[in-house]
């Protein structure tokens, strides 16, 4: 083969290589040749690179130092650094340097690879690892705090139960005393009843927590007159007003209605009013009031003129096993009351919070639906898509809970007991089919309706869940609303028949 023919083949191979390659003179460190990939990577032409040399790529002389080192030890070296392109864009590159010597020709060969995407991926992975590490650390700290709180709680409950039992034992001894007069005997009986009631309250709190944790608390939703409900609670506490010298007032229009469980709502109010009586001094007042909100909800308030709650305590009010310090510390109980109240409010679609100013009392506010509001749990890892779906559904009158993982979706379904679950078929931590299987294993959710969200490219659901409606993400708006309206017609009207999704009447468990 002639020299020219060999040179032509060499040039053709050199310029069609996938890697960006630069030939450098080992004596002068001038650029002798570059292939097309180098010009494409850097934006500089071959002429510019050969004229200006390595300084275009080597702003801090790291490349020059590595070339000198390669000449000294005749070994291959690798360097990762950032290159500034002609367009002033920073690229992360990996450069491999080799020294070759053939007959009378010596060259330094620089092979460049763009690792910008790899570096970004590594940074993203590291960020994820750091976030997960922080999450695990937080979870560990939370678990440790929870264990400590539970230990304190067990000790406190033991104390709360032991005290009335001790009193009961003492009073029984007194009753056996034949010299005890009728009046004194009646006082002893009243003490026994009071302490028995205390133990019943503790037992009820523990039972409620157990039901909430197990997801078996049932809610019988119906249309209730809010004014009648508040007046009924005020009447129940009439004797307390006289005993404590505290006025209990009701401020509520007669045409206000809520859609809630009557017994659970009374339990909520009973706890809040009872706490208000304990916090309000003689001569004070407690006000039960309500106002209509624009989002088809009613806001119910229990206000007192007591000492108030310290600002630092407000954020801990609804936490389980927590007993407040300060003026509220004397109030006996398990420390579960307000956490139970919070669960009861949220399970019916509402929210609860407290406001207070020291010396001016405290106000507990909670919301409940004024009309039937169907609840949708949306499980999709695409946050942007979830936001779009949630916005549309909320505009249509649905209450939506977004979840971005399968396991979180299962947890929310257990907690919220939705009317329907809309979920992506191809979730990364657990497939949509398996989510359905797990939820249907729970007795109270075996008839829960589902809707699958699916991309055009992915395969259809398994045969065993073929009856579940499928909505393609490319045209989800009309199809999803149509399917939800069809599936939720009975729930929206609150006329569920026996054996339906939540059983008799309108029961949400």
């Amino acid at each position: 083969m002639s020299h020219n023919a060999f040179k032509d083949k060499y040039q053709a191979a050199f310029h069609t290589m996938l890697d960006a390659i630069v030939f450098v003179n080992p004596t002068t460190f001038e650029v002798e040749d570059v292939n097309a990939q180098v010009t494409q990577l850097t934006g500089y032409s071959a002429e510019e690179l050969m004229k200006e040399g390595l300084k275009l790529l080597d702003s801090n002389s790291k490349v020059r130092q590595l070339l000198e080192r390669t000449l000294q030890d005749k070994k291959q070296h690798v360097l990762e650094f950032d290159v500034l392109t002609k367009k002033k864009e920073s690229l992360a590159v990996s450069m491999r340097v080799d020294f070759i010597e053939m007959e009378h020709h010596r060259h330094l060969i620089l092979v460049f690879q763009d690792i910008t995407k790899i570096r970004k991926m590594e940074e993203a992975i590291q960020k994820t690892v750091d976030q997960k590490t922080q999450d695990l650390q937080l979870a560990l700290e939370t678990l440790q705090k929870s264990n400590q709180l539970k230990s304190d709680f067990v000790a406190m409950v033991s104390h709360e139960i032991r005290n009335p039992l001790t009193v009961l034992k003492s009073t029984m001894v007194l009753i056996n005393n034949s010299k005890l007069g009728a009046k004194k005997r009646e006082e002893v009986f009243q003490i026994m009843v009071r302490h028995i009631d205390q133990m019943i309250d503790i037992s009820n709190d523990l039972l409620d927590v157990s039901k909430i944790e197990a997801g078996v608390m049932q809610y019988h939703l119906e249309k209730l007159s809010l004014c009648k409900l508040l007046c009924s609670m005020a009447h129940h506490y009439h004797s307390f007003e006289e005993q404590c010298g505290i006025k209990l007032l009701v401020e509520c229009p007669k045409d206000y209605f809520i859609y809630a469980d009557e017994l659970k709502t009374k339990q909520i109010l009973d706890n809040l009013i009872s706490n208000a009586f304990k916090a309000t001094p003689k001569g004070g007042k407690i006000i039960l009031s309500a106002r209509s909100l624009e989002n088809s909800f009613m806001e119910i308030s229990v206000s007192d003129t007591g000492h108030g709650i310290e600002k630092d305590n407000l954020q801990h009010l609804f936490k389980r096993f927590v007993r407040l310090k300060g003026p509220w510390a004397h109030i006996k109980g398990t420390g579960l009351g307000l956490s139970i109240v919070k669960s009861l409010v949220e399970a019916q679609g509402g929210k609860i919070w407290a406001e207070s100013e020291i010396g001016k009392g405290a106000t507990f506010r909670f919301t409940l639906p004024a009309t039937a509001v169907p609840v949708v749990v949306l499980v999709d890892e695409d946050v942007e898509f979830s936001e779009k779906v949630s916005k549309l559904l909320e505009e249509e009158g649905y209450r939506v809970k977004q979840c971005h993982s399968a396991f979180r979706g299962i947890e929310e379904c257990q907690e919220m007991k939705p009317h329907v679950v809309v979920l992506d078929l191809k979730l990364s931590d657990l497939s949509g089919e398996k989510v359905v299987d797990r939820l249907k294993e729970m007795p109270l959710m075996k008839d829960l309706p589902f809707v699958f969200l699916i991309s055009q490219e992915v395969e259809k659901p398994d045969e065993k869940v073929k009856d579940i409606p499928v909505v393609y993400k490319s045209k989800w708006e009309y199809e999803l609303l149509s399917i939800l309206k069809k599936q939720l017609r009975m729930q929206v009207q609150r006329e569920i028949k026996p054996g339906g999704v939540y059983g008799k009447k309108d029961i949400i468990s």
Side-chain angles (χ1 to χ4, degrees):
M1 183 184 293
S2 66
H3 177 73
N4 288 336
F6 175 80
K7 187 175 180 181
D8 290 342
K9 286 190 175 183
Y10 153 75
Q11 288 291 338
F14 177 60
H15 287 287
T16 55
M17 286 183 176
L18 296 177
D19 290 328
I21 302 174
V22 178
F23 277 80
V24 175
N25 188 306
T27 304
T28 62
F29 295 107
E30 294 177 347
V31 175
E32 295 179 332
D33 201 0
V34 300
N35 68 356
Q37 300 300 326
V38 176
T39 60
Q40 185 177 340
L41 180 69
T42 65
Y44 292 108
S45 66
E47 291 76 15
E48 288 174 316
L49 287 166
M50 287 189 283
K51 180 181 178 182
E52 299 295 332
L54 293 175
K55 64 182 182 181
L56 289 176
L57 309 176
D58 187 23
S59 58
N60 54 12
S61 302
K62 284 186 177 181
V63 174
R64 175 65 178 262
Q65 292 170 13
L66 193 67
L67 296 183
E68 292 173 350
R69 184 180 170 189
T70 303
L71 286 174
Q72 289 175 0
D73 57 25
K74 303 296 189 294
K75 293 180 180 179
Q76 185 185 93
H77 292 283
V78 178
L79 174 68
E80 291 186 4
F81 65 105
D82 291 333
V83 168
L84 196 64
T85 68
K86 190 173 183 178
K87 292 182 179 180
K88 305 303 179 185
E89 296 174 347
S90 181
L91 289 181
V93 297
S94 173
M95 182 189 72
R96 186 179 75 247
V97 182
D98 284 295
F99 175 74
I100 61 171
E101 189 171 4
M102 297 182 298
E103 296 181 354
H104 303 294
H105 298 285
R106 300 191 309 161
H107 300 282
L108 286 166
I109 300 179
L110 284 57
V111 182
F112 293 86
Q113 287 185 322
D114 185 356
I115 60 170
T116 304
K117 291 183 179 179
I118 296 175
R119 185 173 288 181
K120 286 182 179 179
M121 191 179 299
E122 288 175 345
E123 290 173 353
I125 292 172
Q126 186 59 49
K127 186 177 180 180
T128 302
V129 170
D130 291 342
Q131 184 61 50
K132 294 296 182 185
T133 302
Q134 290 178 11
D135 291 345
L136 286 171
Q137 183 63 35
L138 181 60
L140 179 60
E141 292 174 0
T142 303
L143 181 61
Q144 290 171 340
K145 289 179 181 178
S146 178
N147 286 336
Q148 183 59 48
L149 284 171
K150 286 182 179 179
S151 297
D152 295 343
F153 170 72
V154 170
M156 180 270 298
V157 169
S158 300
H159 176 75
E160 293 286 343
I161 293 176
R162 186 175 63 247
N163 279 355
L165 285 174
T166 303
V167 174
L168 285 172
K169 183 179 179 180
S170 301
T171 51
M172 289 176 71
V173 172
L174 283 173
I175 289 174
N176 286 332
N177 188 341
S178 59
K179 296 180 180 179
L180 200 65
K183 186 176 180 182
K184 192 66 178 178
R185 188 179 293 268
E186 179 63 27
E187 290 178 4
V188 170
F189 274 120
Q190 290 299 323
I191 292 172
M192 291 177 69
V193 169
R194 187 166 64 251
H195 284 86
I196 288 171
D197 287 341
Q198 185 180 338
M199 286 193 292
I200 291 173
D201 289 341
I202 293 171
S203 300
N204 286 337
D205 281 352
L206 294 174
L207 184 59
D208 283 341
V209 169
S210 177
K211 286 182 177 180
I212 291 167
E213 289 283 351
V216 296
M217 184 74 84
Q218 292 190 338
Y219 299 82
H220 303 255
L221 304 183
E222 57 184 322
K223 187 176 182 181
L224 302 172
S225 167
L226 189 51
C227 181
K228 287 183 179 179
L229 187 66
L230 295 180
C231 289
S232 170
M233 294 303 298
H235 179 74
H236 175 73
Y237 278 90
H238 181 66
S239 60
F240 272 70
E241 290 185 81
E242 296 178 347
Q243 291 175 22
C244 303
I246 297 171
K247 287 185 178 181
L248 179 57
L249 308 175
V250 176
E251 299 176 358
C252 179
K254 292 183 179 180
D255 60 348
Y256 277 9
F257 293 88
I258 55 173
Y259 207 84
D261 182 299
E262 183 174 6
L263 292 179
K264 299 297 185 296
T265 306
K266 284 184 175 180
Q267 185 177 346
I268 293 165
L269 288 166
D270 187 44
N271 183 285
L272 298 180
I273 296 170
S274 175
N275 286 344
F277 268 101
K278 293 171 185 176
T280 305
K282 187 175 182 179
K285 65 180 178 179
I286 298 169
I287 300 176
L288 310 182
S289 61
R291 70 186 183 102
S292 177
L293 303 179
E294 294 180 357
N295 60 351
S296 299
F297 274 75
M298 288 289 175
E299 181 185 282
I300 305 156
S301 303
V302 178
S303 303
D304 65 60
T305 56
H307 177 271
I309 305 170
E310 300 286 345
K311 187 176 181 180
D312 292 341
N313 280 332
L314 287 175
Q315 59 183 323
H316 302 296
L317 278 176
F318 302 100
K319 292 180 179 179
R320 196 170 293 173
F321 309 130
V322 172
R323 299 286 302 276
L324 293 184
K325 298 178 181 179
W328 282 60
H330 70 282
I331 298 178
K332 293 184 177 181
T334 60
L336 293 172
L338 287 176
S339 71
I340 293 172
V341 164
K342 182 174 184 288
S343 295
L344 296 179
V345 169
E346 291 179 349
Q348 297 181 83
K351 296 179 180 179
I352 186 167
W353 65 98
E355 301 166 358
S356 183
E357 187 175 342
I358 296 299
K360 294 186 178 181
T363 298
F364 283 79
R365 305 183 191 276
F366 65 97
T367 61
L368 288 175
T371 57
V373 179
V375 179
V376 176
V377 167
L378 173 62
V379 189
D380 197 298
E381 293 169 346
D382 187 336
V383 177
E384 186 177 349
F385 178 76
S386 294
E387 289 290 345
K388 289 180 182 178
V389 175
S390 295
K391 184 178 179 182
L392 179 65
L393 293 183
E394 287 170 355
E395 289 174 353
E396 293 292 323
Y398 297 93
R399 186 164 68 92
V400 183
K401 178 63 180 181
Q402 292 186 49
C403 307
H404 303 302
S405 73
F407 290 108
R408 184 59 187 155
I410 292 172
E411 289 177 2
E412 287 297 340
C413 286
Q414 289 176 284
E415 183 176 334
M416 298 189 67
K417 309 302 177 295
H419 294 83
V420 67
V421 179
V422 179
L423 71 161
D424 191 341
L425 181 64
K426 298 297 177 182
L427 297 164
S428 60
D429 54 342
L430 200 67
S431 70
E433 295 99 334
K434 290 183 179 179
V435 173
V436 172
D437 288 343
R438 291 202 181 186
L439 288 174
K440 284 185 175 292
E441 288 174 358
M442 303 175 191
L444 293 171
M445 296 192 199
K446 62 184 179 67
D447 296 317
L448 181 64
F450 294 87
V451 178
F452 280 138
L453 295 170
I454 195 169
S455 299
Q456 294 282 6
E457 298 78 16
V458 301
E459 59 187 33
K460 291 189 176 181
D462 291 342
E463 188 70 16
K464 61 183 178 180
V465 289
K466 64 178 181 179
D467 294 332
I468 294 177
V470 171
V471 173
Y472 286 98
K473 289 188 175 183
S474 57
K475 47 182 178 180
W476 63 270
E477 292 97 333
Y478 173 77
E479 287 190 7
L480 183 58
L481 287 175
S482 177
I483 290 172
L484 287 180
K485 286 177 181 178
K486 181 180 178 181
Q487 289 198 335
L488 295 175
R489 188 175 296 121
M490 297 299 286
Q491 290 93 323
V492 171
Q493 294 174 351
R494 302 295 179 178
E495 295 173 357
I496 299 177
K497 298 177 182 179
V501 176
Y502 295 114
K504 293 182 178 180
K505 204 175 183 180
D506 192 12
I507 304 174
I508 300 180
S509 305

